[in-house]
Amino acid sequence: MDAVRVALLREVLAGTEWLGATRRFAGALRGSVVPHGGGLLLVGTPGFEPWHLAAHLVDEAAWSGTPELAPTLVRHGARPSDPAHLAVGLGRLAAARRGETLLVVTPDDPGAGLLERVHDARRAGATVLALGTDRAPGERELTAMAHETLTVPDGAELDLDTVQHLVSASAGENAVPPPRGRRRFRDRLSRLADHLTAPPPSAW
């Protein structure tokens, strides 16, 4: 979803709770990773890996000049033969420590194994953020563990995929204070042009 579509979506959502909710969650994400110089771990469920969110966060990290937003994608089915950025398995969660952030995306059942790993990461001092739906079994347990949550209710106007787009876009937009003076409009225009002309990510 490019910048123009995000802007149009925000116009449609004006007056709803979603703009504030996604910006609040994005602010919590940014506020957790930037002071610690990064350390963002992103993991999904056994049935869902958040490839697109990972790619969008990488893009936002580059466009906003905030490399701390670029995540390490932790995969349930990672293999040693995979490219390095795709070969990080669940064992990485056991090494999570204070100063790191674990973002868990759960459109379906996270499973007892993942919940246990998330619990251990929190006990070790990692900040846990949860983004999911209320249809997912285990969501209540995950929400209880998380420092910050954003849940998409069943029957909501938006689906989880769209909410992920809004969160990643907000995380990048609010990453740095806006410049002052005449350069502000030029910088915003330049950034919009970058959004519209950048090729789609090919590494994910």
Side-chain angles (χ1 to χ4, degrees):
M1 185 178 294
D2 59 37
V4 172
R5 291 179 182 176
V6 169
L8 291 174
L9 178 59
R10 285 173 173 165
E11 287 186 18
V12 171
L13 295 173
T16 72
E17 66 180 24
W18 287 110
L19 293 185
T22 53
R23 283 175 171 150
R24 172 188 54 77
F25 190 83
L29 171 61
R30 187 181 62 255
S32 180
V33 299
V34 171
H36 294 102
L40 175 58
L41 305 174
L42 174 63
V43 67
T45 67
F48 171 82
E49 290 186 336
W51 300 88
H52 287 107
L53 180 56
H56 285 300
L57 286 170
V58 168
D59 287 343
E60 291 297 337
W63 289 329
S64 66
T66 312
E68 297 89 350
L69 289 173
T72 296
L73 179 62
V74 178
R75 302 180 60 214
H76 291 259
R79 300 169 298 180
S81 59
D82 290 331
H85 68 294
L86 300 178
V88 180
L90 291 178
R92 177 64 180 84
L93 300 185
R97 294 293 180 264
R98 185 174 305 278
E100 293 187 310
T101 300
L102 176 57
L103 173 55
V104 188
V105 183
T106 55
D108 54 24
D109 189 359
L114 178 59
L115 290 174
E116 183 178 350
R117 291 174 185 270
V118 172
H119 176 69
D120 290 345
R122 169 159 180 151
R123 288 185 62 187
T127 298
V128 177
L129 306 180
L131 178 58
T133 69
D134 63 0
R135 298 187 303 275
E139 187 68 22
R140 182 174 299 178
E141 292 87 343
L142 181 58
T143 297
M145 282 187 273
H147 296 87
E148 190 73 36
T149 64
L150 180 56
T151 302
V152 181
D154 192 17
E157 306 95 324
L158 302 182
D159 58 19
L160 182 60
D161 185 61
T162 303
V163 170
Q164 290 178 72
H165 283 293
L166 290 171
V167 167
S168 60
S170 293
E173 286 174 352
N174 297 313
V176 293
R180 297 179 178 275
R182 297 180 60 185
R183 291 187 58 193
R184 179 175 182 179
F185 175 75
R186 293 180 184 176
D187 290 344
R188 290 172 60 191
L189 185 61
S190 174
R191 184 167 174 236
L192 176 59
D194 287 342
H195 272 281
L196 297 176
T197 59
S202 58
W204 298 97

